[in-house]
Amino acid sequence: MLNVKSIAEVNQIIHQRFVDLRMPAEKIQLEEALGRVLAEDALASEFVPDFNRSTVDGYALRASDVFGCSESIPAILAQIGEVHMGAHSSLKVGPDQCVYVPTGGEVPEGADTMVMLEYADDLGGHEIAIYKPSPPGANMIFRGDDVKPGQVVLPSGRRLNVADIGALGALGKSEVSVRRKPRVAIISTGNELVAHGETLTPGKIRDVNAVMLASAVLEEGGQPHTLGIIKDNEQAVRTALLSALKEHDLVLLSGGTSVGEKDAVPKIVADLGELLVHGVAAKPGKPTLFGSVNHKPVYGLPGNPVAAYFMFYSLVRPLLAHMLGAELISRSANYPLARAVPSNHGREEFVPVIIKDGLAHPIASKSGLITTLSGTSGFIRIPRDLEGLSKGQVVEVTLFAR
């Protein structure tokens, strides 16, 4: 009989047991950093931009010289030169003077505003007519407007996206310090399994979990290694587990976790280390186990793919995020239910849904049918103390990343 615990209780046990588990830092090239997690704050060491910069093609001048000008009474200024892109200008703008500056060029000393070409005319003889006032700072980016030296641009624990890579490039970074990817071993157990690329024979099923869990690990920033299919007997599982622990930070075993005679995983984890959890108050996913062997986390996930997916999402993702020092991020939105959903199992229930016409349509799914899950928009959770949800009730839908 399984001694089940709630998902919250299991996550608390996992956190308490591995609160100090964190991946070491490593330096990598900026071009390879997309999706990686910063191991330290990214600090600016220079001003960005490092000069006052124009955001328009036009004239740099003093705002006070064009105050009150108009189309009927233009301000007439003397053009003393022009700025070239990528070049520093030694020009200084004085009273009733202006300098032509292209978009992105340096605004010379003395000028505090930019007037667009549309509001100016070249009268010849280095005289420029300005037809519209321009307040101080207009059409300009000042030195350090983006960042200043010592400023935290990106915090430790940030999972780097495309814009972050651009920001680090703007700071002159060629390499960054990130957390090493957790090395995750994935072992499938079961005499009935064949690899997903092999031909099925009567009585056999394909090993869906290996490739699915490997993809899930990749999505969460880990480095998965699928170690193949192991027969469901004690010696084979014991040997495979001990071998995996030598080179990996975390092990995911799938299958062989219930209470049948041939389910070897719980006994082996208990023999080799600590079996901390065996049984989760969730549907699907009740046979899930968690333990520690050689001071490393070991999960036993159900063989049924949908159950394995939801237990990975609920229990493995949080630990991977903790190992990386990253924030655990999920996308969700609220929708009314298209139909009532009964639930009286005494377990927290995961129900896949399809979002259509502004409603969440619950999908009846059996835990072995991964194709049903693949066509859905996300899922809802029904707490274990509820007997179900009613039609039209607004629910939170956790959205799949697609």
Side-chain angles (χ1 to χ4, degrees):
M1 189 88 177
L2 300 181
N3 182 19
V4 298
K5 292 179 170 60
S6 70
I7 287 176
E9 289 171 328
V10 176
N11 273 321
Q12 185 176 20
I13 291 169
I14 294 170
H15 178 75
Q16 290 175 343
R17 184 63 180 80
F18 290 101
V19 65
D20 296 323
L21 183 57
R22 192 80 89 217
M23 293 295 96
E26 62 181 5
K27 292 277 189 180
I28 63 170
Q29 293 299 303
L30 182 60
E31 293 82 359
E32 302 169 351
L34 183 64
R36 301 296 297 272
V37 176
L38 283 177
E40 59 187 28
D41 292 342
L43 303 177
S45 58
E46 56 192 31
F47 289 94
V48 179
D50 198 31
F51 56 88
N52 293 342
R53 188 168 177 259
S54 174
T55 62
V56 298
D57 290 335
Y59 294 98
L61 46 85
R62 304 190 322 169
S64 59
D65 289 336
V66 295
F67 179 76
C69 71
S70 65
E71 290 190 9
S72 59
I73 309 176
I76 309 300
L77 306 181
Q79 182 180 351
I80 62 172
E82 64 179 273
V83 168
H84 299 283
M85 283 295 294
H88 171 67
S89 174
S90 59
L91 294 170
K92 292 185 179 180
V93 176
D96 299 318
Q97 293 179 337
C98 66
V99 171
Y100 172 75
V101 182
T103 301
E106 180 182 9
V107 176
E109 185 180 344
D112 63 0
T113 192
M114 285 291 306
V115 173
M116 292 189 292
L117 285 178
E118 291 89 329
Y119 304 118
D121 270 335
D122 187 344
L123 303 179
H126 303 293
E127 286 190 333
I128 305 297
I130 305 296
Y131 300 107
K132 185 176 181 180
S134 185
N139 303 315
M140 288 178 58
I141 296 175
F142 288 93
R143 183 178 189 236
D145 264 359
D146 204 346
V147 293
K148 297 176 175 62
Q151 181 179 338
V152 176
V153 179
L154 296 171
S156 173
R158 173 83 171 190
R159 200 181 296 271
L160 297 173
N161 60 34
V162 173
D164 297 334
I165 300 297
L168 293 171
L171 297 177
K173 306 286 187 185
S174 60
E175 60 179 21
V176 289
S177 178
V178 297
R179 294 288 176 188
R180 176 174 64 74
K181 293 182 178 183
R183 296 183 296 250
V184 180
I186 299 168
I187 303 172
S188 301
T189 69
N191 300 335
E192 75 283 10
L193 298 178
V194 297
H196 63 274
E198 296 182 8
T199 302
L200 286 177
T201 57
K204 300 289 186 179
I205 59 172
R206 290 195 176 93
D207 178 15
V208 174
N209 283 357
V211 66
M212 180 188 70
L213 292 173
S215 297
V217 169
L218 274 175
E219 190 172 56
E220 299 305 321
Q223 182 177 331
H225 295 137
T226 54
L227 303 184
I229 300 168
I230 307 300
K231 296 298 182 183
D232 197 6
N233 66 71
E234 281 196 34
Q235 189 55 50
V237 175
R238 184 185 299 266
T239 300
L241 177 57
L242 290 174
S243 176
L245 288 166
K246 293 176 182 177
E247 301 293 335
H248 298 87
D249 305 298
L250 182 152
V251 177
L252 301 180
L253 290 150
S254 74
T257 59
S258 63
V259 292
E261 287 185 11
K262 295 183 180 179
D263 294 318
V265 175
K267 181 178 186 306
I268 292 166
V269 172
D271 289 346
L272 297 177
E274 301 173 85
L275 182 61
L276 299 169
V277 174
H278 189 198
V280 179
K283 182 181 186 302
K286 183 178 179 181
T288 301
L289 67 82
F290 175 78
S292 172
V293 179
N294 295 346
H295 308 290
K296 295 182 179 181
V298 175
Y299 288 85
L301 301 178
N304 285 329
V306 173
Y309 174 82
F310 282 126
M311 291 302 96
F312 177 93
Y313 189 94
S314 301
L315 303 176
V316 184
R317 282 178 72 247
L319 181 57
L320 285 174
H322 176 76
M323 293 166 74
L324 289 165
E327 182 182 357
L328 187 63
I329 299 175
S330 298
R331 294 191 310 121
S332 64
N334 293 330
Y335 294 92
L337 279 173
R339 65 170 177 83
V341 185
S343 179
N344 57 358
H345 311 283
R347 293 180 276 164
E348 181 174 354
E349 186 170 1
F350 296 86
V351 180
V353 299
I354 292 176
I355 305 303
K356 184 179 179 181
D357 299 327
L359 298 174
H361 296 259
I363 302 300
S365 173
K366 297 180 180 179
S367 57
L369 302 179
I370 192 65
T371 52
T372 301
L373 186 62
S374 71
T376 58
S377 309
F379 62 90
I380 59 175
R381 297 176 187 242
I382 304 178
R384 62 188 301 187
D385 56 349
L386 285 185
E387 293 188 358
L389 302 171
S390 57
K391 179 180 178 180
Q393 184 172 343
V394 176
V395 294
E396 183 180 33
V397 178
T398 300
L399 300 171
F400 293 135
R402 302 201 196 283

